[in-house]
Amino acid sequence: MPLETEAEATAVVVTADAERVGERLPDGLSPVRVAPGRAAVTLLSVDYRRIGDDAMAPYEEFGVLLAATPASGARVPELMAPRNGLGGYVATLPVTTEPARALGEEIWGYPKRVADVSITDRGGRRRTAVGDERGHALTLDAPCRPRIRWTVATESYTGDGSPERQPLRLSGAFGVRPFGGSYSLGRHPLAERLRDLSLGRVLCALAFDGRFVIGRGRPLSP
């Protein structure tokens, strides 16, 4: 600890009903509002090429992150303000291998489960399809051309009754496309949970290629 990985990721940030997002967050966290009554949700696709000292085989991952900040901190509108504790509450995190599930669940408490996460690239875009034996959950499409070198420090949040925060650091190439990317929902329990958030318009698409470091988790409240 910390765990260093090499990864390539794309994400689409969309609006959602702020009240419903708030209901999904544990005590101590508040949704990040981007408009009256609307919060931000990130649909994230990650292709891990290297994990630690190659002790684990590469795997793919999909995440639903509810943009959040500690209830005592700033509540908008700075979407890139880690000093305020801005991060994402991990609502679900399907992965493609059992070792990846065990690592994330046992070390950080991430809500991982094994599922089908299929990532394909074509014409500068990345398509991610997620599902399992219960059917197709969703498809994510986003540009995948990171070009700007940058380092970002943020946090993820996990847990219900006693939530924890995990420091994250991303160093590498980034790309941002305002109002870029798209998503479509299937007929699956995950898709129905997302529909319940009243997902709306796409705010932006993000792309990343580089080093992703996850630190040791610690309680949200001292």
Side-chain angles (χ1 to χ4, degrees), residues 47-217:
D47 179 7
Y48 286 98
R49 299 188 299 257
R50 181 180 63 82
I51 302 92
D53 295 326
D54 293 319
M56 182 185 296
Y59 65 93
E60 289 74 47
E61 175 179 275
F62 173 79
V64 176
L65 283 67
L66 312 181
T69 189
S72 60
R75 292 195 180 185
V76 286
E78 298 181 73
L79 292 183
M80 296 304 295
R83 66 182 180 276
N84 291 327
L86 179 76
Y89 176 75
V90 184
T92 188
L93 205 61
V95 295
T96 53
T97 70
E98 174 58 26
R101 183 209 62 77
L103 175 69
E105 187 176 86
E106 295 172 10
I107 301 299
W108 294 284
Y110 286 129
K112 292 192 174 187
R113 60 182 180 80
V114 177
D116 297 323
V117 181
S118 176
I119 298 175
T120 56
D121 292 343
R122 184 175 181 180
R125 302 187 70 84
R126 170 161 291 189
R127 179 181 181 273
T128 304
V130 183
D132 57 23
E133 68 279 357
R134 294 172 292 178
H136 177 67
L138 61 88
T139 299
L140 188 68
D141 182 83
C144 57
R145 293 180 176 175
R147 295 173 178 172
I148 301 173
R149 306 295 300 184
W150 202 15
T151 296
V152 172
T154 183
E155 295 179 321
S156 63
Y157 303 107
T158 60
D160 295 318
S162 300
E164 290 195 345
R165 63 205 308 169
Q166 301 82 27
L168 311 176
R169 188 175 183 85
L170 296 87
S171 302
F174 289 81
V176 180
R177 180 77 61 83
F179 310 114
S182 64
Y183 67 95
S184 61
L185 302 179
R187 295 295 174 183
H188 184 279
L190 172 57
E192 297 308 318
R193 292 198 298 273
L194 291 172
R195 285 192 178 91
D196 187 59
L197 293 176
S198 292
L199 298 186
R201 67 180 299 182
V202 171
L203 296 175
C204 67
L206 306 171
F208 168 74
D209 188 352
R211 184 174 62 178
F212 175 40
V213 180
I214 312 173
R216 185 181 299 277

Side-chain angles (χ1 to χ4, degrees), residues 10-14 41-45 62-64 140 183 194 199:
T10 55
V12 172
V13 182
V14 304
V41 172
T42 299
L43 307 177
L44 174 68
S45 168
F62 173 79
V64 176
L140 188 68
Y183 67 95
L194 291 172
L199 298 186

